[in-house]
Amino acid sequence: MLARSLLQHSMRHRTLASVPALWASIPCPRSELRLDLVLASGQSFRWREQSPAHWSGVLADQVWTLTQTEEHLYCTVYRGDKGRVGRPTLEELKAVRQYFQLDVSLVQLYHHWSSVDPHFQEVAQKFQGVRLLQQDPIECLFSFICSSNNNIARITGMVERLCQTFGPRLLQLDDVAYHGFPSLQALTGPQVEAQLRKLGLGYRARYVSASARAILEERGGLPWLQQLRKAPYEEAHKALCTLPGVGTKVADCICLMALDKPQAVPVDVHVWQIAQCDYSWHPTTAKGPSPQANKELGSRRGQFMSPHHFWFRKLFPEPVGTLCWLGPSSAVQC
């Protein structure tokens, strides 16, 4: 009876209540992680709330559904037609822990940051459990190339169509087909740019195709991007800015969210406004965001932040208004 029930649910979106035997739990209170805030905050663009409080998406080339209670994060993984039906293994759960950086105590960081900055203390009371994701460099790079002059809803649509067209098909749950993120090779074909324009990427289509070719043909492929994790921040940032469509802000987003560079400060108009309004900062190099002013802002953040480098940024995703992103020793972007 149990085996039959598991098979019936193997290719449908699961909920914790419908088939609890296929879920594994990780001790993780909401003060450490809020799925609804983190997965909709504009860091990653591949998670959907397919059932109330159940988020499904692709992580480490596998399809997952995540949900949570007050004290636990629950995870279930779908392994496809040929895969073993069962709860996630400890090895599979490592990908979830790394993705959410669960080895970092967010409660301790919130406590310390609140003790040294009254503005953060005020914001933190409203938004507990918001942390920085650790993403795959390729997915992060091309997702944020798509983010140029864009909003979360449109970026999400672009990234989804990009994956559906060029990514490997993983499996289908109910009426939703899930795809892995495209490889560099898949994005370098002669017709890729034209196809991307048909998918609605606009001028970003040229940057996606050209950056994939540049990495693959001129810089040694994926290892070049991966080794930037070990490079100093300034070197990694400079290298990323040589790619078509990657400017100062996009490079900082990739450094912060995929290359383990907590000192990166992605600066946009929202960060700029908060630095001026909440920290009385006035640039000496320009009247508005520019590469020079952004560099000045990043280098002087210690003047209006704690030594542990927290930062504020306003985001406006549809359901939640103002959010914070937190990373170890680095960023709070609200």
Side-chain angles (χ1 to χ4, degrees):
M1 185 71 70
L2 177 60
R4 183 183 305 170
S5 175
L6 297 184
L7 288 173
Q8 289 174 344
H9 287 277
S10 62
M11 299 308 291
R12 297 172 56 188
H13 287 101
R14 302 168 190 153
T15 65
L16 183 59
S18 66
V19 55
L22 293 181
W23 294 75
S25 67
I26 299 173
C28 182
R30 289 183 187 271
S31 57
E32 289 287 346
L33 172 64
R34 280 275 304 275
L35 290 176
D36 57 331
L37 299 186
V38 173
L39 297 181
S41 67
Q43 297 185 60
S44 174
F45 304 94
R46 305 207 60 205
W47 294 92
R48 304 289 189 280
E49 192 178 15
Q50 298 291 355
S51 299
H54 287 70
W55 295 81
S56 297
V58 178
L59 171 61
D61 294 321
Q62 289 185 295
V63 181
W64 294 80
T65 296
L66 311 175
T67 191
Q68 63 185 144
T69 61
E70 288 300 323
E71 296 297 332
H72 288 84
L73 172 65
Y74 285 88
C75 318
T76 187
V77 65
Y78 310 86
R79 301 186 180 92
D81 295 334
K82 298 180 181 180
R84 177 181 61 84
V85 177
R87 68 179 62 204
T89 65
L90 291 177
E91 188 64 28
E92 288 171 328
L93 288 175
K94 282 185 180 180
V96 176
R97 291 180 177 275
Q98 291 174 358
Y99 186 64
F100 290 109
Q101 304 193 71
L102 295 182
D103 59 326
V104 178
S105 172
L106 203 59
V107 170
Q108 292 181 12
L109 291 180
Y110 265 60
H111 177 75
H112 177 71
W113 291 335
S114 296
S115 72
V116 295
D117 188 282
H119 183 60
F120 176 78
Q121 184 178 29
E122 178 183 354
V123 173
Q125 293 174 357
K126 302 176 183 178
F127 299 105
Q128 293 290 312
V130 190
R131 58 171 61 237
L132 196 71
L133 300 174
Q134 185 179 76
Q135 301 185 54
D136 173 76
I138 288 291
E139 180 172 338
C140 189
L141 166 65
F142 290 105
S143 294
F144 277 94
I145 287 178
C146 291
S147 75
S148 176
N149 296 314
N150 220 336
N151 59 56
I152 291 175
R154 293 188 67 235
I155 300 166
T156 298
M158 288 181 182
V159 172
E160 183 62 26
R161 294 190 293 274
L162 178 72
C163 294
Q164 290 175 349
T165 305
F166 296 99
R169 192 177 190 277
L170 300 177
L171 51 81
Q172 181 167 324
L173 301 176
D174 298 315
D175 59 348
V176 181
Y178 288 89
H179 295 75
F181 202 84
S183 65
L184 291 170
Q185 290 81 356
L187 296 175
T188 56
Q191 302 302 317
V192 168
E193 180 180 341
Q195 288 178 279
L196 291 173
R197 288 185 181 275
K198 291 180 180 179
L199 296 176
L201 270 70
Y203 69 88
R204 304 165 195 85
R206 176 167 61 89
Y207 295 145
V208 169
S209 178
S211 285
R213 285 197 306 272
I215 295 172
L216 195 61
E217 300 172 4
E218 301 171 13
R219 292 165 175 79
L222 182 58
W224 173 80
L225 191 58
Q226 292 174 329
Q227 60 87 26
L228 293 181
R229 273 188 165 145
K230 299 180 180 179
Y233 161 67
E234 292 78 7
E235 179 182 329
H237 189 273
K238 183 177 180 180
L240 290 170
C241 286
T242 65
L243 295 174
V246 178
T248 298
K249 179 200 165 186
V250 169
D252 271 324
C253 287
I254 300 163
C255 282
L256 179 63
M257 300 178 204
L259 298 180
D260 302 330
K261 304 289 184 283
Q263 62 269 57
V265 181
V267 178
D268 63 8
V269 64
H270 303 300
V271 174
W272 183 276
Q273 290 171 348
I274 288 172
Q276 292 185 310
C277 295
D278 296 328
Y279 294 96
S280 302
W281 175 74
H282 299 286
T284 61
T285 56
K287 295 183 179 180
S290 68
Q292 296 78 17
N294 294 355
K295 184 176 180 180
E296 178 184 348
L297 179 55
S299 66
R300 295 183 62 187
R301 59 185 172 170
Q303 176 180 329
F304 33 79
M305 289 173 279
S306 80
H308 291 265
H309 311 318
F310 59 79
W311 189 244
F312 295 100
R313 176 187 178 194
K314 291 219 189 265
L315 293 174
F316 301 98
E318 294 80 352
V320 289
T322 303
L323 293 183
C324 306
W325 297 348
L326 289 111
S329 305
S330 77
V332 180
Q333 303 183 19
C334 307

